[in-house]
Amino acid sequence: MKKDYLKFIICLLIIFQSGLACGQQQELQDERVERVPSTIKEEGEFELESLELKRRPADRFDFGDESSGYLTIKAWEALGKKDWPAVLAYTQKCIELHKDEAKKQQDSLSAFPPQDKQSAFEVLNNVGTCYFIQAEALMRQEKLEDARWAFQFIIDNFKYAQCWDPRGWFWKVAEVSHESIDKINKLIRGEKIAEEEVKPKRPASKLVLFDPGSETIVDYAKYGKFENVGTKDYHYVITDQAALARATGEGIYPNTSSVRKNPGYIALKGSERLKGEHWDFLYTDDMQANFYKWNMATEPQGVKQFYIALVLERAGLIAQAIKAYYAIVVHFPKAYGWTYWHTPWYIGPVAVHKINYLTRRNPQLGMKLIGAKIKVENSFDNDIRNDIFICTPGKLVQAEADELIPKREDLSKLKIVQRIGGKRIQLVKYENGHWQLLVEGKPFPVRAVTYTSTKVGQSPDEGTLGNWMKEDFNENGKIDGPYDAWVDKNKNNTQDKDEPAVGDFQLMKEMGINSIRVYHHPPKVSKKLLSDLYKNYGIMTIMGDFLGAYTIGTKKLDENGNPISDSGASWYDGTDYSNPQHKKNMLASVRKMVNDFKDEPWVLFWLLGNENNYGVANNAKKNPRAYYEFVNQAAQLVHELDPTRPVALCNGDVLFLDILAKACPEVDIFGANAYRGKEGFGNLWGDVKEQIQKAVLITEYGCGAYYEGKSQELAEDGQAEYHQGSWEDIKYNMAGYGAGNSLGGIIFEWLDEWWKAYEPARHDWKGQFYGPFPDGFMHEEWLGILGQGDGSQSPFLRKLRKSYHTYQKLWQ
């Protein structure tokens, strides 16, 4: 072990210096690193001596307070700049000062600490992350053998270290190191990683039911009693369990035994295909094994029934899936599970929405759910102990195809009872409580997209993200993405003669987009560019201020919008919405935004925040009342400065909606970043209508065009299906339909961004977290409805995915 570690350190010292040859020869002349050998204090305990530089460290490196957190931040910044001496200096300083404490914290753990205890292991997390940064630096210099050794060192010594992601979660350093080693092994063998990953984990199989049940639509009134319908005491009492089991069929409660009689199960029992945890089967195409494993799973009945229904749906047995989802509504409307973020997941309302989606998308079945509603009171926090379920199971009935498509009410016959904004841009409320956005007197359903044209290799994590409004890499006097992007029709990653530059603005116009979202007004917004987007392409801009999210906007600004003070929050401290100075600085940022852009005709409305309520680099999750009271103060300021446009808030889904309802009367539009699945947004529309009676905008929604184990074509099919279902739900809750409070939605996002899995030069496939996506994971590097091919022609090449063409049909 001693020899291996000594080899590791010597390799790092040699390789980091050799990396200077890559574009940093001048640095080598100015500052040569004197290699100092590692010393071994005791068996299994290592100590690294400080690096001695010919110039004092203080002249070259800013070690700040020498805390592990500060040094790790500086190391990430250095990695982004490919400043290899700085990477080594900051990581080694952190390791030298804090390794002993990190090892103590590592040795005290036998498992990863719970989420609310992670901050107690900050030193372990930062030291483990610094080792990871070293290994990552080696890999980026194509020192693959040495990088592999370094990643393995992390796995062996710091397996419980976690890295805080600026986007709001911890990732496990050893787990990502494993993935990096797998990637390195494939690169060393010369394999094409993307093609390798297309291979499915399990063989595909078709599900054939042994006992589908005697009734397609089960008449539950024949087999039991519905008690206390529409109250918190609802309950279905089975009076003839055997008969009900015969009616439902295998796998649908209470029929929990007939699966064991299925010849398919008998044939597979004890085989390799049924080995493993039931969760490992969920998104595979071995539908037989999947169905059998979930029928035998030891999960709560409501959770178990949901995933059995999902298996049936994925297997194409839609009628049986609807029957299974409805069994949840009848028997387990109060069931709940937990999301990846450890927030409650209410299964009953999701089952209702699943049924409505499946019956609408499959009119040939002639089925419709009427009268079903599951309301969860006190559900806008993360405490399930105060939840109250009001349950009405409704009924599945036979229906004609035309009964399944929502009918639109004639708004021209309704009186407008409220107007918000000016003459040109108005948010209006009709006498039936429905909302609509009008531009120059005409309905304006928001068909928007988050737009960036990020060049492959850039990353905000590393301080290299450029400003798409200014970038002109080919130096032809035109901004690259908006005007020089071209479509790779034959997907050969080469611009052929029949593939002229067309520009993103034109492609957006042809898709039917009418607005884009700017998250935060940076100092270098190009008014000329956004004016051209409006005048020549008919596309408006939703202008935003982060309102302290990610600590942006907490620092004082000069007259040009540049930070002039460090009195604002640091990333690790986070924005404090009860801090008078932070609030003053944020209001100054909001004031500047409105004053700078209020006279521009291309501004559609103002959007405050970006899911600040999740508590990333701020205290809104700990003190939501203070946050929403400040939101109201900011919205009031915007109204005073610009009474001609509405003001929206971007929330993280509906968390703290009840507090928002009381604290934010000045907010006109409730916006939510929501990723709930291909069926749309479930109870969101009704929840908002009941709580705050405001208009609703989905400020982010989307799905990656990657599907583990599937071809790119099938992955794009899954992405398109997700987008179509989401937009249909948005449409069917606009004025005249359903809840009537939907204003539209903002797709996330226009173009793939390769930096989101931490290696901005590679298009990674790994999922960031679990969620309701085609393969069960969010693949953030694949969220674009346009791709960038193999990245060699970035930022110009565009690959139009199926979802782009789906929107062309939906929006034209």
Side-chain angles (χ1 to χ4, degrees), residues 48-292:
L48 302 179
E49 295 181 5
S50 300
L51 294 171
E52 294 183 10
L53 306 174
K54 286 192 173 182
R55 193 183 300 172
R56 288 184 306 163
D59 294 337
R60 172 68 172 83
F61 304 118
D62 172 18
F63 292 132
D65 60 1
E66 297 191 342
S67 67
S68 63
Y70 185 84
L71 294 169
T72 303
I73 291 173
K74 298 298 289 186
W76 276 123
E77 292 175 353
L79 181 68
K81 297 174 183 177
K82 298 183 179 180
D83 185 348
W84 309 126
V87 170
L88 185 58
Y90 289 123
T91 55
Q92 288 303 107
K93 176 65 77 171
C94 181
I95 292 167
E96 168 194 316
L97 296 177
H98 303 287
K99 177 173 63 65
D100 289 344
E101 177 61 24
K103 289 186 67 180
K104 289 178 183 178
Q105 293 183 1
Q106 167 69 31
D107 292 343
S108 72
L109 293 170
S110 59
F112 286 102
Q115 288 186 341
D116 59 344
K117 303 294 184 183
Q118 287 165 332
S119 60
F121 298 90
E122 180 181 3
V123 174
L124 168 62
N125 293 338
N126 289 328
V127 170
T129 298
C130 279
Y131 277 118
F132 180 87
I133 292 170
Q134 289 183 344
E136 183 72 20
L138 292 171
M139 187 163 69
R140 293 189 186 189
Q141 295 176 78
E142 303 298 327
K143 310 295 184 182
L144 299 182
E145 292 283 3
D146 300 290
R148 179 168 60 181
W149 198 98
F151 283 123
Q152 188 61 51
F153 179 83
I154 296 167
I155 295 167
D156 293 340
N157 293 277
F158 296 99
K159 69 177 181 178
Y160 294 129
Q162 299 183 82
C163 181
W164 174 250
D165 188 300
R167 285 157 268 172
W169 57 81
F170 282 97
W171 49 269
K172 297 175 175 61
V173 177
E175 182 179 292
V176 177
S177 295
H178 269 297
E179 294 172 354
S180 296
I181 289 173
D182 289 342
K183 185 184 299 181
I184 288 170
N185 288 339
K186 291 171 184 174
L187 290 171
I188 290 174
R189 292 195 300 264
E191 298 178 12
K192 293 182 178 179
I193 295 173
E195 292 179 4
E196 173 73 15
E197 292 303 309
V198 169
K199 296 178 181 178
K201 290 183 176 179
R202 295 179 181 272
S205 69
K206 183 178 180 180
L207 176 58
V208 178
L209 295 177
F210 168 70
D211 176 19
S214 60
E215 298 180 17
T216 302
I217 297 178
V218 178
D219 185 358
Y220 281 93
K222 294 193 305 185
Y223 311 111
K225 297 178 181 179
F226 293 93
E227 297 183 348
N228 303 311
V229 172
T231 74
K232 63 182 179 61
D233 298 315
Y234 163 79
H235 186 62
Y236 176 73
V237 180
I238 300 174
T239 57
D240 191 342
Q241 181 164 324
L244 179 56
R246 289 193 295 272
T248 58
E250 62 182 312
I252 300 177
Y253 188 84
N255 191 332
T256 57
S257 61
S258 62
V259 169
R260 299 179 186 276
K261 302 175 185 178
N262 190 318
Y265 172 71
I266 295 171
L268 288 183
K269 188 176 180 181
S271 71
E272 287 291 325
R273 279 177 58 192
L274 287 182
K275 288 185 178 180
E277 293 292 322
H278 49 277
W279 292 107
D280 298 333
F281 287 75
L282 191 56
Y283 288 96
T284 70
D285 287 336
D286 191 350
M287 296 302 176
Q288 275 187 307
N290 196 341
F291 183 69
Y292 303 147

Side-chain angles (χ1 to χ4, degrees), residues 20 42 50 124 147 154 172 267 291 325 344 354 386 405 418 445 451 471 539 663 691 770 805:
L20 295 174
E42 298 176 14
S50 300
L124 168 62
I154 296 167
K172 297 175 175 61
F291 183 69
Y325 285 125
K354 278 275 193 180
N386 61 4
I405 304 299
Q418 186 178 358
Y451 177 75
E471 289 176 330
I539 298 173
Q691 289 289 320
Y770 301 109
H805 300 294

Side-chain angles (χ1 to χ4, degrees), residues 211-412:
D211 176 19
S214 60
E215 298 180 17
T216 302
I217 297 178
V218 178
D219 185 358
Y220 281 93
K222 294 193 305 185
Y223 311 111
K225 297 178 181 179
F226 293 93
E227 297 183 348
N228 303 311
V229 172
T231 74
K232 63 182 179 61
D233 298 315
Y234 163 79
H235 186 62
Y236 176 73
V237 180
I238 300 174
T239 57
D240 191 342
Q241 181 164 324
L244 179 56
R246 289 193 295 272
T248 58
E250 62 182 312
I252 300 177
Y253 188 84
N255 191 332
T256 57
S257 61
S258 62
V259 169
R260 299 179 186 276
K261 302 175 185 178
N262 190 318
Y265 172 71
I266 295 171
L268 288 183
K269 188 176 180 181
S271 71
E272 287 291 325
R273 279 177 58 192
L274 287 182
K275 288 185 178 180
E277 293 292 322
H278 49 277
W279 292 107
D280 298 333
F281 287 75
L282 191 56
Y283 288 96
T284 70
D285 287 336
D286 191 350
M287 296 302 176
Q288 275 187 307
N290 196 341
F291 183 69
Y292 303 147
K293 288 293 291 188
W294 271 96
N295 270 276
M296 304 302 169
T298 55
E299 298 286 346
Q301 283 289 353
V303 175
K304 178 176 175 177
Q305 186 67 86
F306 181 87
Y307 286 112
I308 289 172
L310 183 61
V311 174
L312 291 166
E313 179 187 345
R314 292 186 64 242
L317 302 176
I318 304 301
Q320 198 76 359
I322 292 170
K323 197 193 303 188
Y325 285 125
Y326 189 58
I328 297 170
V329 179
V330 172
H331 298 289
F332 313 113
K334 301 177 184 180
Y336 64 87
W338 296 96
T339 68
Y340 175 86
W341 312 105
H342 203 67
T343 56
W345 169 53
Y346 298 105
I347 295 172
V350 175
V352 171
H353 197 57
K354 278 275 193 180
I355 295 167
N356 289 331
Y357 170 80
L358 291 174
T359 53
R360 188 177 71 242
R361 294 297 295 271
N362 296 275
Q364 74 280 2
L365 297 177
M367 301 167 67
K368 184 178 183 180
L369 179 61
I370 59 173
K373 184 176 182 181
I374 301 172
K375 179 182 178 182
V376 188
E377 295 182 351
N378 305 320
S379 64
F380 305 118
D381 56 21
N382 291 328
D383 186 358
I384 61 172
R385 294 171 296 181
N386 61 4
D387 293 339
I388 299 173
F389 292 79
I390 310 299
C391 307
T392 302
K395 190 175 183 181
L396 271 173
V397 299
Q398 293 288 340
E400 298 296 327
D402 61 355
E403 298 178 60
L404 301 172
I405 304 299
K407 303 298 186 293
R408 189 170 189 272
E409 189 174 358
D410 187 354
L411 297 176
S412 65

